[in-house]
Amino acid sequence: MSKKDFDAIVVGSGPNGLSAAITLQKAGLSVLIVEAKPTIGGGMRTAELTLPGFKHDICSAIHPMAMGSPFFANLPLHEHGLEFVHAPLPAAHPFDNGNAAILSRSIKETAKSLGKDGQAYLDLIQPLVESWPKIVDDTLGPLGIPKHPLLLAQFGLKAMQPASWIAKKFETEKAKGLWAGMTAHSIQPLTNYSSAAIGMVLSAVGHLHGWPIPKGGSQSIADALASYFISLGGKIETNFLVKSLDQLPSSDAVLFDVTPKQLLQIAGEKFSPLYKWQLERYRYGMGVFKIDWALDGAIPFAASECNKAATVHLGNTFKEIAAGEQLASSGGHPEKPFVLLAQQSLFDSTRAPEGKHTAWAYCHVPNGSTVDMTAAIENQVERFAPGFKDQILAKNTMNSSQIEAYNPNYIGGDINGGIIDIGQLFTRPALRVSPYRTSAKGIYICSSSTPPGGGVHGMCGYHAAKTTLDDIFKIKL
């Protein structure tokens, strides 16, 4: 029996911190979560940012990976108040001509909507839809010996390509535009190697599980995870900002749901010169500029398909989106940025007063940017939804620096915990046998700066906890 205050402490209560803590607590350990903010959740928080009664997701909003996460699938979160809502369409992508491409739950319906590019879409996504249940554990984890190497290789050969290469398989602007919106979630130039991966996964997961909305807001996911953790005997302390290891109670292991920058600040003196050198060279990607709106009515999209989708990608053609992402990556601010927009209140009536609506949107900008992109984003929405600006009752904006100030894990507004390009796809946050171990015994990193990266799926935390159990407590899962 340990004579320490706790067996393990988890610093940070984002999806990965909560997942790590749950995994450790389920294994029979005593676990404490410490959170700097008054509320738990990390990127899963909801607040009235504009007007009373209008609930806005501060960071994450739509959760494709939550339903596709093997870890979450094994938790009784519905028993702890979590309820997901599905829009008729996971996503829509309008064009200047008034038409829209769609991502439907049905892969056949999606392919049919793409006309002569339907078969090319099926050739790209159908194999992943069929193999995903078998390769999901290997895909959402560190490098290792895969259970189904041929299936994983089949996916990897496509996923490692630049999105721009895959786009050449399509003939129509409709299919190319839909693909651009999916792959722009990678938050990197679409000419980068591996930029196709996120587009393939989001499309396949959309067909398998949809892109769900947590009823009441993203905070509902955090609250359900925390409730389950506490039901297992775990403890949570909020308003606990960790700046030094000396602040923490005694324990055999500490897991940090933070990025390399904060880890160095808190525990850098414990690390080897080589490990410190690696963390110091960890690279962060583009930031985001975000707007939340309180609206007098629904967004009046010209394309009716957009009214059936919780997520709408605004950027018109592949060429326009690719140019904007390239510009933002190289330090510029696009006049017509790619905008990711969510309209949760269309499908979750708890988000706004009766007859009113909320909307959530962001665009990519250079890391650390303080440029106000409000007009550029609102012009993009108005472009595809004439009359949108007349619906605005109030708004709340956050530039990249403000986003980092709100959540220190978002370095320079990077919501992915570091760029997930080919150089950091397999070496997050450092080149090591296990990416979750640091060079100091008993100290681990469990954030999105480890494989498989950003998103609300909890898999970084699960794998870090699994490593900790094996290393420190000699418990194998």
Side-chain angles (χ1 to χ4, degrees):
M1 291 289 290
S2 171
K3 295 180 180 179
K4 305 290 178 68
D5 295 320
F6 295 91
D7 293 318
I9 296 173
V10 177
V11 178
S13 67
N16 290 305
L18 286 163
S19 297
I22 287 170
T23 303
L24 296 168
Q25 192 73 34
K26 282 180 70 178
L29 306 186
S30 62
V31 184
L32 170 69
I33 295 175
V34 295
E35 166 57 47
K37 293 285 184 180
T39 57
I40 53 98
M44 305 176 295
R45 290 194 178 101
T46 305
E48 294 181 343
L49 298 176
T50 55
L51 299 172
F54 290 83
K55 296 180 181 179
H56 304 278
D57 290 325
I58 302 175
C59 302
S60 65
I62 310 296
H63 298 87
M65 300 311 297
M67 293 288 280
S69 165
F71 178 70
F72 286 170
N74 290 318
L75 303 182
L77 298 182
H78 62 285
E79 297 175 11
H80 293 266
L82 181 59
E83 180 182 345
F84 281 114
V85 177
H86 286 271
L89 295 174
H93 185 114
F95 297 92
D96 283 336
N97 63 8
N99 294 329
I102 62 166
L103 179 74
S104 167
R105 285 292 298 273
S106 165
I107 189 170
K108 291 182 179 179
E109 183 180 342
T110 303
K112 184 178 179 181
S113 74
L114 296 175
K116 61 182 179 180
D117 276 325
Q119 189 57 51
Y121 182 84
L122 289 173
D123 291 344
L124 177 65
I125 304 299
Q126 182 77 46
L128 182 56
V129 170
E130 293 173 354
S131 65
W132 183 252
K134 295 180 180 179
I135 67 170
V136 60
D137 290 323
D138 292 319
T139 304
L140 298 183
L143 277 176
I145 300 172
K147 297 175 185 175
H148 300 277
L150 293 180
L151 291 177
L152 191 63
Q154 183 184 45
F155 163 61
L157 287 172
K158 296 176 183 176
M160 291 302 102
Q161 296 181 42
S164 56
W165 288 11
I166 300 287
K168 294 175 182 177
K169 297 179 182 293
F170 300 119
E171 296 181 37
T172 65
E173 292 296 344
K174 193 174 187 180
K176 290 180 180 180
L178 179 66
W179 175 243
M182 294 296 167
T183 54
H185 282 262
S186 65
I187 317 182
Q188 59 183 303
L190 304 190
T191 51
N192 278 10
Y193 283 98
S194 81
S195 55
I198 189 66
M200 292 185 66
V201 170
L202 288 178
S203 299
V205 170
H207 296 312
L208 288 165
H209 304 292
W211 288 13
I213 310 161
K215 188 174 181 179
S218 294
Q219 186 74 48
S220 300
I221 302 177
D223 290 346
L225 287 166
S227 174
Y228 179 55
F229 172 63
I230 291 169
S231 77
L232 296 171
K235 294 184 178 181
I236 299 175
E237 283 191 34
T238 55
N239 295 304
F240 193 134
L241 176 62
V242 178
K243 293 185 177 180
S244 165
L245 289 170
D246 295 336
Q247 295 173 253
L248 297 173
S250 61
S251 67
D252 292 310
V254 183
L255 290 80
F256 286 93
D257 187 7
V258 303
T259 78
K261 182 178 180 180
Q262 300 104 290
L263 186 61
L264 282 167
Q265 292 168 347
I266 297 168
E269 74 279 359
K270 298 284 188 181
F271 300 147
S272 69
L274 175 60
Y275 188 66
K276 285 178 68 175
W277 180 83
Q278 288 180 300
L279 294 189
E280 287 166 354
R281 280 152 183 77
Y282 187 75
R283 293 175 294 112
Y284 295 91
M286 288 186 276
V288 302
F289 183 97
K290 178 174 178 283
I291 308 179
D292 290 283
W293 296 283
L295 302 175
D296 197 30
I299 300 175
F301 282 109
S304 61
E305 294 90 342
C306 296
N307 302 319
K308 300 176 183 177
T311 301
V312 183
H313 294 155
L314 305 176
N316 203 38
T317 63
F318 184 96
K319 183 179 180 181
E320 181 180 316
I321 293 170
E325 295 299 282
Q326 182 65 54
L327 179 60
S329 177
S330 58
H333 294 80
E335 182 181 343
K336 296 180 178 180
F338 170 65
V339 174
L340 291 101
L341 183 143
Q343 42 186 5
Q344 303 97 307
S345 62
L346 278 184
F347 314 100
D348 178 6
S349 61
T350 69
R351 303 297 188 97
E354 187 174 354
K356 309 300 180 183
H357 285 280
T358 62
W360 168 111
Y362 71 82
C363 72
H364 301 144
V365 294
N367 189 282
S369 169
T370 57
V371 171
D372 188 346
M373 296 293 286
T374 303
I377 290 175
E378 291 184 346
N379 287 342
Q380 282 289 71
V381 183
E382 183 78 17
R383 173 183 176 186
F384 301 102
F388 162 73
K389 293 180 182 179
D390 296 333
Q391 301 284 6
I392 299 173
L393 298 174
K395 70 186 75 170
N396 181 77
T397 65
M398 296 174 75
N399 64 34
S400 287
S401 293
Q402 291 167 328
I403 286 171
E404 180 180 350
Y406 173 77
N407 187 336
N409 267 358
Y410 297 152
I411 305 296
D414 177 352
I415 59 176
N416 259 345
I419 189 169
I420 311 181
D421 61 7
I422 195 69
Q424 289 190 164
L425 187 63
F426 303 114
T427 58
R428 301 171 68 81
L431 182 59
R432 298 177 64 76
V433 174
S434 170
Y436 313 103
R437 293 189 192 109
T438 69
S439 62
K441 184 179 180 181
I443 299 177
Y444 296 81
I445 180 169
C446 65
S447 70
S448 60
S449 297
T450 64
V456 177
H457 44 65
M459 295 302 293
C460 308
Y462 166 74
H463 287 296
K466 186 178 177 182
T467 302
T468 306
L469 287 170
D470 190 14
D471 289 352
I472 305 296
F473 303 99
K474 309 307 176 187
I475 298 172
K476 287 191 178 291
L477 296 184

